[in-house]
């Protein structure tokens, strides 16, 4: 058991995770380990080919490489501890480990929320204002947008995580989840958490509802532009380019909204855990698959890079 020095000073937590499903834990361990390895392989591949292939030195793949880097960091801040807890019956995490996981995962997740919105803007400019694309989406502007996304993620985690950790837990150290997240830690507090819940709701509006609304508006304009294209081949090409981003958006935002827009006192415990698996484990693995399998440019660049590697090996 994790001991505390006094009633409110906790030195560690027990992440209960999927303790209610002991027969499922070993299966989850194997499945999540495989998905994690695929996540590392897929996202590393996206980053490498985006850097090595000159044809992919465009704003779209600039943002995509940042998305892959975010997914690599995010999963690495969550999954190793999850795997340990699925295998270890003690399921403990130190207070410091929980704090680091809270700050890092929230910063990266919030940054990704903003980045996906920026990617929709990139698609809007490319399709609706193609003649001005290179002027509007120049490298310096893309770098500025990405920096703002990272800055917003860091800012929100400094506010939300700090406010959450100020709450007294009164010796409670059993977290009914597999990750140290703001909603589940608020549930441990032994004082009124109305302010924290209100702050969490406002942050959720800013990082979930606002980006989703922005994305919907962007794709509304894109849909209008696509309908004006007379060529069926042209419409199919534009749809193929955008459908991958829409798929990622639906999976990512849909699962996070379920977790963060419900009340901290919600009783949907088990559903919340399995939903959280989607945006912590499944979505980061799906991103490279969705973008590569539905994108001829990425598949062509991958074949080209692999061909160069084979030539080097033979010589």
């Amino acid at each position: 058991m994790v001991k505390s020095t006094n009633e409110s000073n906790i030195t560690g937590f027990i992440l209960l995770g999927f303790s209610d499903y002991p027969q499922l834990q070993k299966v989850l361990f194997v499945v999540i380990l495989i998905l994690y390895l695929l996540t590392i392989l897929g996202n590393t591949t996206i980053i490498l080919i985006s850097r090595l292939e000159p044809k992919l030195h465009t704003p779209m793949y600039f943002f995509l490489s940042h998305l892959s880097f975010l997914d690599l960091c995010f999963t690495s801040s969550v999954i190793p501890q999850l795997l340990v807890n699925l295998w270890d019956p003690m399921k403990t995490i130190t207070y410091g480990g929980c704090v680091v996981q809270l700050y890092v995962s929230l910063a990266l997740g919030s940054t990704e929320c903003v980045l996906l919105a920026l990617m929709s803007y990139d698609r809007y400019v490319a399709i609706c204002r193609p003649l001005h694309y290179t002027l509007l989406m120049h490298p310096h502007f893309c770098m500025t947008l990405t920096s703002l996304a990272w800055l917003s993620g860091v800012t929100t985690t400094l506010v939300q995580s700090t406010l959450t950790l100020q709450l007294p837990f009164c010796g409670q150290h059993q977290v009914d989840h597999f990750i140290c997240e703001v909603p589940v830690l608020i549930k441990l507090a032994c004082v009124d958490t109305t302010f924290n819940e209100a702050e969490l709701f406002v942050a959720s509006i800013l990082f979930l509802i606002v980006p989703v609304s922005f994305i919907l508006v962007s794709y509304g304009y894109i849909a209008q532009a696509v309908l004006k294209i007379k060529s069926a081949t042209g419409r199919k090409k534009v749809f193929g380019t955008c459908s991958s981003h829409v798929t990622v958006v639906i999976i990512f935002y849909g699962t996070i909204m379920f977790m963060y827009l419900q009340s901290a006192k919600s009783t949907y415990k088990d559903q919340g855990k399995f939903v959280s698996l989607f945006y912590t484990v499944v979505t980061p693995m799906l991103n490279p698959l969705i973008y590569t399998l539905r994108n001829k440019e990425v598949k062509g660049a991958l074949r080209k890079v692999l061909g160069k590697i084979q030539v080097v090996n033979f010589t």
Side-chain angles (χ1 to χ4, degrees):
M1 294 294 291
V2 179
K3 297 181 180 180
S4 58
T5 56
N6 57 52
E7 188 177 54
S8 59
N9 184 22
I10 296 177
T11 59
F13 294 98
I14 295 176
L15 296 175
L16 296 178
F18 301 94
S19 300
D20 293 338
Y21 306 92
Q23 72 284 358
L24 188 61
Q25 291 189 95
K26 298 304 184 233
V27 176
L28 282 175
F29 178 88
V30 174
V31 172
I32 292 173
L33 177 60
I34 293 173
L35 293 179
Y36 182 46
L37 294 176
L38 290 175
T39 298
I40 294 174
L41 176 62
N43 285 290
T44 301
T45 301
I46 291 290
I47 294 172
L48 289 177
I49 63 173
S50 297
R51 292 287 183 266
L52 297 175
E53 177 52 51
K55 290 183 179 180
L56 299 185
H57 292 173
T58 63
M60 176 180 174
Y61 295 102
F62 172 78
F63 291 127
L64 180 56
S65 61
H66 274 267
L67 178 65
S68 293
F69 179 70
L70 276 169
D71 284 337
L72 279 175
C73 296
F74 180 74
T75 52
S76 296
S77 71
V78 174
I79 295 182
Q81 182 66 49
L82 171 58
L83 291 173
V84 169
N85 288 347
L86 285 172
W87 196 265
D88 183 8
M90 296 298 290
K91 305 187 183 305
T92 58
I93 182 172
T94 64
Y95 181 80
C98 184
V99 169
V100 170
Q101 188 179 77
L102 178 66
Y103 275 98
V104 173
S105 62
L106 182 57
L108 296 171
S110 301
T111 301
E112 184 163 340
C113 289
V114 178
L115 184 63
L116 287 172
L118 297 179
M119 292 175 71
S120 72
Y121 176 73
D122 171 69
R123 291 300 84 206
Y124 160 75
V125 177
I127 295 170
C128 298
R129 304 184 66 182
L131 298 179
H132 300 89
Y133 183 69
T134 55
L135 177 64
L136 293 174
M137 302 302 293
H138 55 85
H140 179 72
F141 182 62
C142 292
M143 182 64 72
T144 301
L145 290 178
T146 307
S147 299
L148 289 175
W150 281 94
L151 180 61
S152 64
V154 172
T155 301
T156 190
T157 196
L158 288 176
V159 174
Q160 285 195 72
S161 300
T162 302
L163 288 175
T164 302
L165 293 172
Q166 296 300 313
L167 293 170
F169 299 126
C170 301
Q172 297 187 58
H173 57 267
Q174 292 191 343
V175 179
D176 195 11
H177 207 9
F178 62 83
I179 178 177
C180 291
E181 280 190 309
V182 172
V184 294
L185 291 179
I186 288 178
K187 293 178 183 179
L188 289 184
C190 54
V191 295
D192 180 48
T193 58
T194 302
F195 175 78
N196 295 80
E197 291 184 52
E199 187 276 332
L200 175 61
F201 183 77
V202 171
S204 299
I205 295 295
L206 292 175
F207 285 89
L208 294 175
I209 302 301
V210 172
V212 167
S213 300
F214 183 84
I215 291 170
L216 290 176
V217 171
S218 298
Y219 276 97
Y221 283 111
I222 290 173
Q224 290 179 350
V226 170
L227 292 175
K228 293 178 182 179
I229 299 176
K230 296 181 180 180
S231 169
T233 304
R235 287 197 300 269
K236 184 178 180 181
K237 182 179 179 180
V238 173
F239 177 77
T241 302
C242 297
S243 60
S244 57
H245 184 233
V246 173
T247 304
V248 170
V249 165
I250 292 173
I251 297 174
F252 181 74
Y253 284 105
T255 52
I256 291 186
M257 283 181 177
F258 179 89
M259 188 67 189
Y260 276 81
L261 290 181
Q262 61 178 314
S263 169
K265 304 301 182 184
S266 173
T267 57
Y268 295 104
K269 297 179 181 179
D270 292 339
Q271 293 93 325
K273 295 175 189 177
F274 286 102
V275 166
S276 295
L277 282 177
F278 271 89
Y279 64 82
T280 56
V281 180
V282 179
T283 305
M285 183 275 299
L286 287 178
N287 282 348
L289 292 177
I290 290 172
Y291 281 105
T292 55
L293 291 179
R294 300 183 64 89
N295 194 309
K296 293 181 179 180
E297 289 180 327
V298 176
K299 288 189 288 186
L302 182 58
R303 284 193 294 266
K304 185 176 179 181
V305 171
L306 291 176
K308 290 180 179 179
I309 294 174
Q310 288 179 348
V311 171
V312 172
N313 288 336
F314 279 116
T315 55

